[in-house]
Amino acid sequence: MANAQKGFTVETLRSASKQCLRCLVVPVRLRRAIKKYLREEDDPHIRKKVRQLSESFQEIKDTNLQLPETTAKSLADSMNSLETKRWKIQTVYGDSGLQYRDGETAAYIASRMPAVFSVCYRVLIEIRRRVPGFTPTRVLDFGAGTGSGFWAVKEVWPKSVEKVNIVEPSQSMQRAGRNLIQGLKDLPLIHGYTSLLALNKEINKKSERKHDLVIASYVLGEIPSLKDRITVVRQLWDLTDDLLVLVEPGTPHGANIISQMRSHILWMEKRKLRKLEKKMKKDGKEVLDLKSGAHIVAPCPHDGKCPLENTGKYCHFVQRLQRTSSQRSYKRTKGVPLRGFEDEKFCFVAFRRGQRPRELWPLDGIKLETLKERRANKKPEDLEIDYEDFIKSQVVEVPYIDPRAYDSDTMDENEEEQEDGGGTDEDEEDKIEEEIEEESERASVGGGWGRIIFPPFRKGKQVTLDMCVPTKEDGSEGAFERRVITKSKNPDLHLQAKKSFWGDLWPLTTQQENGKEKQVDAEWCRPDEDQKWGGWP
C-alpha cells in the first residue's frame, strides 16, 4: 500500500531531482585549520612528499588490482564450505598498505583532504535531502584518516551528533585529526581506536556498539584482498543501526569494490530475510522487524543486480571543488598554472536497514502537455507582451569576478588571508541550514526516480540521458535505459533535461511502464561513444 504523498508540480520536480553540487567551496574553518597545521609543521620538502604520496597511491592500486583474481576463488571455496569461522579476519587493517608517518600525513592534508571532504559532504547532503527524518547521534568513521568524514558529518548535521568513534591505525593521522579540530565549538564526544577489534573490546555492551551512521571513505581500496574487504564491511554492517556509507575513488578499481560490497550486503540480508520469513511462518507470526533486510538509499534507485556489470562501463560521479590556497601552493606544477578548481571523481553506496518504503512515483497523476497542445491551449491575452517588463527581464547583473582567483600563480600570502577570512563560522552554519531548508520538495527513496549515471548529451533540441532506473514498483529490480527527451513531445521535461547534470535524479511514472518488459540497450557501450561521456558538462 503506497503512502500518501504530496503531488509534485513541474517546478517542484526540478528542485527534487537536483542532487549534484556545482562547485563546492571548502568551509572557512577547515581552510583555516589546514593552513594553521601546515604552518606549524613547516616542512621544506612537503611538495616532494605530495608527489611521492600520489605515486604511492598508484602503487597500492596496481598491487591490489592483481589480488582479486587469486582471492576470488578461495573466497568462493570458503563460502561453499562448512567452516564456521570463515569470516574471521586474518589481517588487521593498517598492517598492510601505505604507512602514514608525519611527512605523509602533512602531504595528505595539503593535497587530498579538501577533495575527500568535498566528496563526503556531497554524499551526506544527498542522504539528508532524501531521508529528512534521519538525524544521527552516534557516528562511526572507519579509516578516518585526518577526519575528512568527521568534518563532513559536522557540516551536514551540526547539532544532532553527540558521539563519534574514529577507527584509524595511523597514530600520526590521529594526532593530525585532533590538531585540526582544536578551537571548534560544540564538538561531540570523540573516541579514537586503532582497529575495530579494539573498539569492540572497549565497548562491552553490544547495544552500545551500534551507530546510527557508519562511514568508510577512501579506505577499502587500501585493504589488500577481497576476502578481507568483505570481512571488514560485514563488521561495519554489524555495527550499523541505520545507515552505512561506503565511498571510494571514481576509478574502475574503486567502482568494482563498491559493486562487490553492494552485492554482498544485499545478498546477505536477502538470505537472512528468507530464513526469518520461514521461521515466522512456522511460528505463526506475521509482523517483521522494521530493521529486517536492507535497501539502497543512493545512488542506486533499486536493489537488484547492477545493470553495468560486465559491460566495460562503471558507475561513478564527479564533484567539483574550488582549490584551497594550500592546494594551489603545494600541488603547483612547473610551467603549467593550476586551475582554480579540480574535479574529484568518486563512487559510493549508502545502505539502510529495513525494507524500501512504498510511495507514489513522482509523475503519477501529472498531466504533461506536448508542445502542440500547449500552443493550442494558449489564450490571446497570453500573447500580449509588456515591453517594459520584457526589457527589464533581459538585463542580467553579472557580478565582478577577480580573474586572479582562477590563477594560483598571482595569489600572494595577503590575498590568501583575505580569501580565508571572509565570514564567520556561525554565518557559514546558518547558510548551510538555509540552503538545506530551501529544498521544500525531496525525492523519495520509495521509488520512481532514475539516476543519471553519465553526463547528459545535448544535440539540437534533443537531450539524451543515460540512466539507471527501477523496473518494478518495489525497487527490487532495475535496468539501464537511454532516453531521448524532445521538446515537441514534452517541453517541461525537455527543459528539466537541459538543466540536469551528471548524478541528478530523473522522475518516472508507473503508468508509462506497466506491461512493458525493460531491456538494457546495448547501443550505449559502443567504443565510438566513449568520448562524449568523458568530460564535465
Side-chain angles (χ1 to χ4, degrees):
M1 187 70 179
N3 296 328
Q5 177 176 305
K6 180 184 175 182
F8 283 99
T9 65
V10 173
E11 291 74 19
T12 55
L13 278 176
R14 292 174 194 159
S15 64
S17 299
K18 185 62 63 180
Q19 299 299 325
C20 72
L21 305 175
R22 297 296 181 88
C23 188
L24 185 66
V25 179
V26 178
V28 170
R29 46 181 162 262
L30 179 54
R31 298 203 303 267
R32 286 174 180 166
I34 290 175
K35 183 176 290 186
K36 180 184 176 184
Y37 176 85
L38 295 174
R39 190 184 297 121
E40 291 174 353
E41 286 295 307
D42 193 23
D43 189 343
H45 305 293
I46 192 167
R47 284 191 179 89
K48 180 181 177 181
K49 290 176 180 176
V50 167
R51 186 177 68 253
Q52 291 174 343
L53 182 67
S54 178
E55 294 170 354
S56 299
F57 284 141
Q58 186 62 42
E59 289 175 7
I60 289 174
K61 185 176 73 172
D62 293 342
T63 302
N64 287 349
L65 283 174
Q66 301 171 7
L67 290 175
E69 295 181 4
T70 58
T71 58
K73 186 177 184 301
S74 62
L75 175 66
D77 292 341
S78 66
M79 288 175 66
N80 295 327
S81 70
L82 297 176
E83 297 176 10
T84 57
K85 297 183 179 180
R86 62 174 179 261
W87 295 116
K88 287 288 184 182
I89 192 163
Q90 297 175 0
T91 61
V92 177
Y93 164 65
D95 289 347
S96 56
L98 180 62
Q99 298 294 321
Y100 285 95
R101 296 178 293 274
D102 290 343
E104 287 80 8
T105 298
Y108 180 89
I109 290 175
S111 60
R112 291 294 300 148
M113 189 174 178
V116 176
F117 162 82
S118 299
V119 168
C120 293
Y121 179 80
R122 150 72 178 85
V123 171
L124 296 181
I125 275 290
E126 176 169 352
I127 290 173
R128 174 161 178 171
R129 284 174 176 166
R130 303 198 68 191
V131 192
F134 176 68
T135 52
T137 57
R138 293 172 58 87
V139 177
L140 170 62
D141 189 358
F142 176 75
T146 55
S148 302
F150 167 77
W151 280 85
V153 170
K154 185 76 169 58
E155 291 294 322
V156 178
W157 292 285
K159 298 176 182 177
S160 68
V161 179
E162 298 175 359
K163 184 176 182 180
V164 178
N165 288 326
I166 287 174
V167 177
E168 173 53 54
S170 170
Q171 294 296 331
S172 173
M173 281 201 154
Q174 281 206 29
R175 285 195 301 270
R178 289 193 295 267
N179 192 320
L180 288 170
I181 63 175
Q182 285 183 359
L184 288 184
K185 298 179 181 178
D186 302 325
L187 283 174
L189 188 63
I190 303 173
H191 288 286
Y193 304 92
T194 56
S195 67
L196 290 175
L197 183 62
L199 182 146
N200 289 327
K201 280 185 176 180
E202 184 164 325
I203 303 176
N204 296 322
K205 291 185 180 179
K206 192 172 182 180
S207 59
E208 293 182 0
R209 295 177 189 168
K210 293 288 186 178
H211 300 78
D212 302 318
L213 173 65
V214 177
I215 181 170
S217 60
Y218 288 75
V219 62
L220 296 178
E222 295 184 18
I223 297 174
S225 71
L226 173 61
K227 187 173 182 178
D228 287 345
R229 282 196 292 268
I230 288 180
T231 304
V232 167
V233 170
R234 284 176 65 109
Q235 291 176 347
L236 294 177
W237 182 244
D238 288 339
L239 294 170
T240 303
D241 193 46
D242 203 338
L243 265 164
L244 169 64
V245 180
L246 308 178
V247 185
E248 286 297 308
T251 61
H253 181 54
N256 188 43
I257 290 174
I258 293 295
S259 179
Q260 290 169 344
M261 301 305 107
R262 175 189 184 275
S263 299
H264 185 78
I265 291 293
L266 292 177
W267 165 80
M268 181 180 67
E269 286 301 313
K270 286 177 183 176
R271 186 183 63 171
K272 286 182 181 178
L273 196 59
R274 285 195 299 267
K275 290 182 178 179
L276 182 61
E277 287 174 347
K278 286 182 181 179
K279 186 176 183 299
M280 289 176 60
K281 189 175 181 181
K282 185 178 179 181
D283 297 341
K285 297 180 181 179
E286 297 182 357
V287 181
L288 274 174
D289 183 6
L290 293 176
K291 297 290 185 180
S292 299
H295 63 277
I296 307 294
V297 173
C300 315
H302 60 88
D303 304 322
K305 181 180 178 182
C306 177
L308 294 186
E309 283 185 11
N310 304 320
T311 61
K313 295 290 182 180
Y314 60 99
C315 180
H316 66 293
F317 307 96
V318 67
Q319 177 57 53
R320 177 166 290 183
L321 67 142
Q322 182 178 310
R323 280 195 169 108
T324 63
S325 57
S326 60
Q327 286 178 302
R328 292 195 299 267
S329 176
Y330 297 115
K331 294 180 75 171
R332 189 173 298 173
T333 56
K334 293 182 180 179
V336 182
L338 288 177
R339 299 176 300 177
F341 61 88
E342 67 180 51
D343 294 331
E344 178 70 14
K345 293 184 178 180
F346 66 97
C347 311
F348 78 104
V349 63
F351 303 94
R352 192 176 198 192
R353 289 195 178 274
Q355 299 298 300
R356 184 179 291 272
R358 297 290 295 274
E359 298 185 17
L360 295 176
W361 287 31
L363 288 185
D364 285 352
I366 293 183
K367 178 66 173 70
L368 298 171
E369 296 178 326
T370 64
L371 188 59
K372 188 176 181 180
E373 290 174 341
R374 176 170 292 185
R375 287 172 176 170
N377 293 335
K378 275 188 176 180
K379 299 176 182 179
E381 53 266 25
D382 294 337
L383 302 177
E384 296 179 1
I385 299 176
D386 188 332
Y387 286 99
E388 291 184 2
D389 292 341
F390 175 75
I391 292 172
K392 290 179 182 179
S393 66
Q394 299 304 305
V395 178
V396 180
E397 294 184 6
V398 180
Y400 172 73
I401 300 177
D402 190 343
R404 294 177 297 176
Y406 293 95
D407 185 1
S408 60
D409 292 329
T410 61
M411 296 284 286
D412 60 25
E413 194 68 28
N414 292 330
E415 287 171 331
E416 288 177 0
E417 291 293 339
Q418 292 176 4
E419 171 204 347
D420 288 352
T424 64
D425 294 350
E426 290 77 8
D427 292 340
E428 270 201 0
E429 200 166 283
D430 293 341
K431 184 179 179 182
I432 291 171
E433 290 288 339
E434 290 173 3
E435 288 176 354
I436 296 173
E437 292 303 322
E438 283 177 3
E439 299 289 338
S440 57
E441 296 295 338
R442 292 178 171 88
S444 166
V445 180
W449 295 93
R451 174 79 64 171
I452 302 173
I453 56 176
F454 295 112
F457 181 64
R458 303 169 180 87
K459 183 177 181 181
K461 293 185 178 180
Q462 294 183 348
V463 182
T464 303
L465 301 177
D466 285 333
M467 297 182 291
C468 184
V469 298
T471 56
K472 289 189 176 181
E473 289 188 49
D474 60 359
S476 60
E477 294 182 11
F480 173 87
E481 269 198 5
R482 166 170 285 180
R483 294 195 178 189
V484 179
I485 314 298
T486 60
K487 186 174 182 180
S488 59
K489 187 175 181 181
N490 200 316
D492 293 317
L493 290 183
H494 179 262
L495 179 61
Q496 179 169 334
K498 284 173 63 179
K499 295 184 176 182
S500 293
F501 280 80
W502 181 10
D504 283 343
L505 301 176
W506 185 258
L508 305 172
T509 176
T510 53
Q511 297 171 355
Q512 295 175 355
E513 315 302 340
N514 286 341
K516 294 183 181 180
E517 184 179 352
K518 296 193 176 189
Q519 295 181 353
V520 177
D521 184 1
E523 290 295 317
W524 65 279
C525 56
R526 293 179 300 176
D528 58 350
E529 298 288 331
D530 285 352
Q531 185 176 0
K532 69 184 180 184
W533 308 130
W536 174 263

